[in-house]
Amino acid sequence: MSHAFMSPPNAARFVLSNATVPAVTLTGFEASSREGLVKADIVVADGLVSDILAPGAAPAEYAKVDMKDGMVWPTFADMHTHLDKGHIWERRANPDGSFMGALDAVRADREANWSADDVHRRMEFSLRSAYAHGTGLIRTHLDSLAPQHRISFEVFSSVRDAWKDRIALQAVALFPLENMADEAFFADLLTVVRDAGGLMGGVTQMSPELDAQLDKLIRAAADNGLDIDLHVDETEDREVLTLKAIAEAVLRNGFTGKVTAGHCCSLARQDEDVARATIDLVARAGISIVSLPMCNMYLQDRHPGRTPRWRGVTLLHELAAAGVPTAVASDNTRDPFYAYGDLDPVEVFREAVRILHLDHPLDTAARVVTTSPSAILGRPDIGRIAVGSPADLVLFSARRWSEFLSRPQSDRVVLRKGKVIDRNLPDYRELDSVIGA
Ligand SMILES: [Zn+2]
């Protein structure tokens, strides 16, 4: 732990010199790039990025941290998580790793254990990990079956306030769309979400009611000025393709809010012409797509005693080529939907590169955990390096993609407003009293 970059000076102004930066995360600096990486000097003054210069161009009198070509990234955006479910694995494991096993296990745990205190303590643990890894923006889905919606959104609102200077937080109400048939519940949910400044979400399922459900959801979102973020087609079943119905409903209703669809696994199981037509529709409807590669690979194509044959991820390259905003994110962490994970976007990126073949060339790949998700979440100020922006930066000793993607980057340094933060991860033992281990 003796890299020169480990200790940026405790000065009001310093320069991170000879840094390697993913060009896609840089605003207002043009230079020739090699596989999407450029060299630059980043000047930090009073907690802000005050200048971005050619390498070696910073005035000699500036305090200097020689990055020796080490990478500098902006803080990350993790646009699809489940902070309310996180870290319950030891209390409620998934017996067979299947999607149905996850649904049943989470339902049982929620009904037995999800008090405000339980949700609050697990959320805090997750956010401390995410912050230490270098994340500045998180969207979480919150299980919103009555009465949990009131408990979890109230906890979320207080946590969002407590964390507002460290991680910007957004929350989405997650529920089976059929529950909208309970008018009293749905009206109450809309009130809770609107009051919390959240988004409407839900899980779509193939059903004769689907079009009517989508119309109702979209009209309610429009009436209340809410955006929508759905869980979509998380299955290998090629008969399931609600993504098409969602795009048609957005167009049919002329909805002007933002719509995001997560997962969309079964899109990858369609014939070429069906996939193409669906992607065109998604592009026309202006829907953004987030892939959850670690969770999808864990849950999809899982059958006892049989080796999985596909990776579970959606058609991210084809969607992006069609102009659809795309990103990747963590999804679940140490709960029945995914037994592992720590809300580390470096891990998500590394695994996404492998699972989705974001490499050769990597050119703009860094966007999937930085500028793309932050733009989709309406916070383009986060996840990019620009003059005048807070010096919220993640420093790595890795200089090139091969170095960056081959190690977990545990020795990274996180600067927030130009100051080094404590990167110690919370001890799992702190959770023992929460989950009854
Ligand atoms: Zn999810």
Side-chain angles (χ1 to χ4, degrees), residues 296-334:
N296 287 159
M297 197 160 78
Y298 176 84
L299 284 173
Q300 299 302 309
D301 205 12
R302 182 184 283 274
H303 306 279
R306 178 184 176 279
T307 306
R309 312 291 163 86
W310 76 298
R311 300 177 181 212
V313 287
T314 194
L315 300 179
L316 208 72
H317 290 280
E318 293 82 347
L319 287 157
V324 174
T326 53
V328 303
S330 286
D331 211 6
N332 299 69
T333 45
R334 300 182 69 238

Side-chain angles (χ1 to χ4, degrees), residues 330-388:
S330 286
D331 211 6
N332 299 69
T333 45
R334 300 182 69 238
D335 70 39
F337 285 92
Y338 185 56
Y340 320 112
D342 200 33
L343 296 182
D344 178 5
V346 172
E347 182 193 17
V348 174
F349 178 70
R350 187 176 63 241
E351 295 307 308
V353 167
R354 287 154 164 66
I355 297 166
L356 286 153
H357 286 183
L358 300 181
D359 47 3
H360 316 314
L362 279 144
D363 287 5
T364 61
R367 70 172 182 80
V368 297
V369 291
T370 56
T371 49
S372 291
S374 66
I376 292 168
L377 267 50
R379 291 299 306 268
D381 52 314
I382 300 175
R384 72 174 59 247
I385 301 173
V387 172

